[in-house]
């Protein structure tokens, strides 16, 4: 990692193949107190959202026949609120269920380990690997883990299909074979497979409001990062259909938080010719496929990028993973909290007494916006060049970006550094910015040209809506550009309740 890779919109935009000449179209509202951490979390979040908003504005301008790309504005208040959207969600006044009791840090004989057991099958595998009964208490698990080494727990739990990761320092991760493999990859892997005629999408008649209108997105993702990316594509006008196996329901609150703008259906691809036929019909007219399962898990259904290039030439394939599709951990499952522990983030954010955590699941949310940005850029490039395009971000690679440098003033007023690196101007307000994103006070100009304000009450970036699930309070989208959407067109519905068909 080099200092130049510290989080900035310029670096993210370049990694996505974006035209550097568009960076001056982006402005930033900097708010002190947003996503405060030792690491430059605020800068990473701002960069991921900024790159996504710029990619949306670029595609909207192209399809609307505009001579200039609409101005893009990133507000730290909107970004910080959206990056903890799962914490702001209320369903009929009820707060969401957070981590399960067995998803936490544990002391081991020689250090610390973190487990993830929010899903029932992961909880069962964790307990099985430890030789404990299904109803084992937190105290019983703690006693068992205290007698074992962290690496022993990591290896045995993963061997049983569960999830546990030993705490490592950044230096230890850098020496690990997977850490070295991740460090050698670009922030977002991008490429073209085969040839195909340029993508054809109807023009937007001079209005860039919905740059993804007309795109059919098959959403095969779970948890947070992948669903955040497809939630963003839905915001921008895409027809997003999430498809899950019927025997593996998503956590209800998690599905609600990331289900805005989408429909949700279930299909069993492992049994029965009918469901498989329905899925093939959906795929035959899909423009984008986004997957969020561990690398290789869906290959048997012909959903590798290479197989899709043959079956559906010209499609855009977004493939999200925790550890990347390479190295000894390439086929492992993973979650944001576990990646933080493996890559040294938990050590950096913690103390001598206990590991710490980022103020948000920033690897999930940030990687989700990078994936959406990559898909949008792939669609834009496909309008001219055709070809089947793939986009592959990974939580561990985003983590490497976060820990690469000191952030050039990040975390405590890094606005001037951000502006100087990217060539953008930071302004308090821009014409055409949505009212929802503007927040309560835009601050005032400093001598450096930065707009400084504070972030305290998230209320300006929250909204309410009625839904089939009840009255919802939720975080508004942070992606903002002149003439762009300020909210989703529809609230989420119950998991798996929709017909598996396109609108």
């Amino acid at each position: 990692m080099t200092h130049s890779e510290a989080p900035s919109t310029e670096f993210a935009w370049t990694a996505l193949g974006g035209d550097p000449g568009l960076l001056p179209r982006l402005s930033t509202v900097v708010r002190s107190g947003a996503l405060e951490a030792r690491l430059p979390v605020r800068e990473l979040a701002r960069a991921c959202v900024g790159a996504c908003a710029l990619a949306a504005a670029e595609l909207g301008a192209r399809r609307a026949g505009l001579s200039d790309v609409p101005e893009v504005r990133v507000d730290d208040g909107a970004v910080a609120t959206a990056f903890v959207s799962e914490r702001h969600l209320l369903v009929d006044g009820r707060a969401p269920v957070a981590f399960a009791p067995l998803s936490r840090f544990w002391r081991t004989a020689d250090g610390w380990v973190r487990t993830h057991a929010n899903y029932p099958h992961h909880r069962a595998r964790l307990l099985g690997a430890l030789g404990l009964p299904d109803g084992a208490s937190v105290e019983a698990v703690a006693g068992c883990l205290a007698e074992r080494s962290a690496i022993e727990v990591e290896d045995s739990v993963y061997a049983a299909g569960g999830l546990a990761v030993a705490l490592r320092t950044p230096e230890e991760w850098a020496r690990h074979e997977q850490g070295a493999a991740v460090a050698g990859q670009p922030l977002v892997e991008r490429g073209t497979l085969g040839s195909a005629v340029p993508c054809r999408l109807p023009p937007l008649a001079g209005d860039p409001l919905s740059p993804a209108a007309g795109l059919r997105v098959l959403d095969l993702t779970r948890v947070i990062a992948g669903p955040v990316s497809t939630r963003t594509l839905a915001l921008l006008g895409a027809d997003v259909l999430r498809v899950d196996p019927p025997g593996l329901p998503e956590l209800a609150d998690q599905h609600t938080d990331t289900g805005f703008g989408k429909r949700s259906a279930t299909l069993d691809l492992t049994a029965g010719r009918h469901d498989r036929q329905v899925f093939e019909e959906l795929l035959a007219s899909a423009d984008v496929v986004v997957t969020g399962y561990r690398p290789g898990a869906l290959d048997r259904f012909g959903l590798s990028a290479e197989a899709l290039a043959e079956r559906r030439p010209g499609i855009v394939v977004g493939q999200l993973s925790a550890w990347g599709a390479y190295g000894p951990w390439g086929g492992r499952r993973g979650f944001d909290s576990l990646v933080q522990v493996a890559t040294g983030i938990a050590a950096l954010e913690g103390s001598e007494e206990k590991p710490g955590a980022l103020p948000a699941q920033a690897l999930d949310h940030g990687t989700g916006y990078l994936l959406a940005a990559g898909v949008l850029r792939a669609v834009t490039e496909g309008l001219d060049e055709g070809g089947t395009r793939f986009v592959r971000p990974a939580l561990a690679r985003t983590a490497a970006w976060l820990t690469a440098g000191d952030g050039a003033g990040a975390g405590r007023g890094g606005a001037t550094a951000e502006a100087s690196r990217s060539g953008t101007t930071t302004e308090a307000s821009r014409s055409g910015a949505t009212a929802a994103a503007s927040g309560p006070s835009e601050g005032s100009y400093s001598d450096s040209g930065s707009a400084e304000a504070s972030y305290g009450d998230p209320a300006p970036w929250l909204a309410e809506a009625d839904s089939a699930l009840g009255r919802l309070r939720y975080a508004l989208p942070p992606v903002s550009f002149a003439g762009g959407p300020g909210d989703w067109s529809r609230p989420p519905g119950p998991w798996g309740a929709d017909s598996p068909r396109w609108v």
Side-chain angles (χ1 to χ4, degrees):
M1 295 300 134
T2 63
H3 177 85
S4 64
E5 289 192 25
S8 71
T9 307
E10 178 187 18
F11 185 82
W13 185 243
T14 301
L16 293 164
D19 177 4
L22 296 182
L23 284 168
R25 305 301 294 169
L26 186 147
S27 63
T28 305
V29 178
V30 177
R31 297 186 185 274
S32 61
L35 298 175
E36 289 189 325
R38 294 175 182 171
L39 289 166
V41 179
R42 181 179 64 176
E43 283 66 26
L44 178 135
R46 182 193 297 155
C48 294
V49 170
C52 185
L54 195 56
E58 176 191 37
L59 179 58
R62 172 64 188 275
R63 295 186 62 193
L66 303 181
S67 56
D68 292 319
V69 169
E71 293 179 331
V72 173
R73 203 253 314 257
V74 180
D75 190 312
D76 282 350
V79 173
T81 304
F83 264 58
V84 290
S85 60
E86 62 273 12
R87 301 181 202 169
H88 291 301
L89 178 70
L90 292 178
V91 182
D92 282 336
R94 176 187 61 81
V97 176
F99 284 97
L102 299 188
S103 296
R104 51 176 286 185
F105 284 108
W106 308 86
R107 275 197 177 278
T108 63
D110 60 351
W112 292 88
V113 70
R114 180 149 191 169
T115 57
H116 195 288
N118 284 3
Y119 291 94
H121 59 293
H122 290 155
R123 182 180 187 277
R125 292 169 185 171
L126 169 64
L127 293 175
L130 300 179
L132 295 173
D134 184 57
S137 65
V138 170
E139 292 74 19
V141 174
C144 180
L145 292 176
E147 299 174 352
R148 306 188 184 191
S149 73
I151 294 298
E152 177 191 354
V153 173
E154 177 182 275
D155 290 343
S156 62
V157 172
Y158 261 103
L163 295 124
V165 171
L167 177 71
R168 291 174 173 84
T169 65
E171 294 76 18
E172 289 170 334
W173 179 245
R175 293 193 297 267
H176 192 279
E177 191 175 349
Q178 187 63 32
V182 168
Q185 297 295 325
L187 179 61
V188 180
E189 292 181 84
R190 305 166 57 250
T192 304
L193 296 168
S195 59
V197 297
C199 175
R200 291 185 175 86
L201 289 173
L204 297 178
D207 183 1
L209 173 65
S210 300
L215 286 176
R216 289 176 168 176
V217 179
L218 200 53
D219 178 2
L220 306 177
T221 69
R222 295 178 66 80
V223 197
I224 296 178
V228 162
S229 74
T230 52
R231 181 181 71 181
T232 303
L233 296 175
L235 167 75
L236 300 170
D239 179 8
V240 179
L241 179 64
R242 173 168 169 165
V243 177
D244 287 282
L248 196 62
E250 181 62 280
L251 301 176
D253 292 332
Q254 199 161 262
H255 183 264
T256 300
D257 176 54
T258 59
F260 284 86
K262 312 179 195 178
R263 290 174 301 113
S264 172
T266 61
L267 290 172
D268 188 350
L269 304 186
T270 63
R273 296 172 58 185
H274 177 264
D275 279 15
R276 186 60 188 266
Q277 180 179 349
V278 171
F279 181 81
E280 291 298 327
E281 291 172 356
L282 290 170
L283 180 60
S285 56
D287 302 292
V288 179
V289 173
V290 183
T291 66
Y293 293 77
R294 60 189 175 88
L298 300 178
D299 289 2
R300 57 183 169 148
F301 304 118
L303 293 173
S304 68
E306 293 76 12
L308 286 168
E310 295 182 2
R311 299 166 66 198
R312 186 80 171 92
I315 201 167
V316 173
V317 184
Q319 296 175 312
L320 174 82
S321 64
W323 308 105
Y326 38 75
W329 286 15
R332 285 195 176 191
R333 300 173 179 87
F335 293 89
D336 180 304
S337 59
L338 302 182
V339 176
Q340 288 190 40
V341 172
T343 59
I345 290 173
L348 290 170
E349 292 290 339
S351 64
E352 292 183 2
E353 289 74 32
K354 187 177 181 179
L358 299 177
Q361 295 190 69
L363 305 181
D364 265 335
H365 286 271
T367 308
Y369 288 109
L370 286 176
L371 176 55
V375 168
L376 294 167
R377 291 245 56 255
V379 171
T380 300
E381 292 174 339
L383 293 174
D384 292 324
E385 304 167 12
T388 300
R389 297 176 183 274
F390 65 86
V391 181
R392 293 181 185 136
L395 302 188
R397 185 58 183 87
T398 304
W401 186 33
L402 179 62
T403 58
D406 65 6
R412 292 163 185 78
T416 304
E418 167 78 6
S420 65
R421 284 195 305 273
S422 66
T424 65
T425 57
T426 54
E427 296 183 2
S429 61
R430 288 271 194 161
S431 60
T434 62
S438 63
S441 170
E442 297 306 334
S444 58
Y445 294 115
S446 66
D447 291 339
S448 66
S450 302
E452 297 283 351
S454 61
Y455 177 73
D457 184 2
W461 301 284
L462 299 175
E464 294 190 4
D466 290 317
S467 75
L469 302 170
R471 182 71 176 174
L472 303 180
R473 188 193 74 175
Y474 60 97
L476 287 163
V479 173
S480 176
F481 60 93
D487 201 348
W488 289 275
S489 61
R490 54 173 287 164
W495 177 83
D498 295 299
S499 299
R501 60 179 178 81
W502 300 115
V503 173

